[in-house]
Amino acid sequence: MVHVRPPTLDEIPAVAALAGALVRQHEGYDARRFLHLDDPAAGYARYLPKALLDPKTVLLAALVDGEVVGYAYGELVGRDYFALLDACGKLHDIYVDARARGKGVGEALVR
């Protein structure tokens, strides 16, 4: 069973590791297009605790048997005339560890 909730501070390193894996996945698609970061997980580990405190940010962890196996990161954004969007929510990141894919983790995070 998948349990989705905001991560605890103790779970931030696991979420940051998944976020780093997502960065590497994007680099693998097109290394010239995506910014290369030496240690994206470390950057996320510094950033995500602050994001948890931001009322416009949604950070969720998906846990299976107590292990963080996925995460989603989104935020409420204001009107964007160039994108022709009124104020809305944007899902920036969603990632599920390869070992947990095909088990409804991504769907649970989106719901």
Side-chain angles (χ1 to χ4, degrees):
M1 183 170 163
V2 181
H3 184 68
V4 175
R5 59 167 170 70
T8 65
L9 288 178
D10 290 339
E11 293 164 341
I12 289 293
V15 173
L18 293 172
L22 178 60
V23 169
R24 295 295 182 236
Q25 182 178 1
H26 281 95
E27 286 179 345
Y29 294 145
D30 186 346
R32 292 176 298 172
R33 178 175 177 219
F34 293 99
L35 175 70
H36 174 78
L37 302 171
D38 290 331
D39 190 354
Y44 274 100
R46 287 188 299 275
Y47 171 75
L48 292 176
K50 297 173 199 149
L52 278 174
L53 300 175
D54 184 346
K56 292 184 176 183
T57 297
V58 176
L59 178 62
L60 298 172
L63 293 90
V64 174
D65 297 328
E67 179 185 0
V68 176
V69 297
Y71 84 101
Y73 171 78
E75 66 180 327
L76 298 174
V77 296
R79 181 175 288 163
D80 182 340
Y81 289 100
F82 293 108
L84 300 176
L85 292 172
D86 206 343
C88 64
K90 282 193 174 181
L91 177 62
H92 295 294
D93 294 356
I94 183 165
Y95 186 83
V96 176
D97 184 90
R99 297 170 293 143
R101 292 180 187 158
K103 300 177 182 176
V105 175
E107 180 180 350
L109 283 163
V110 171
R111 288 186 180 277

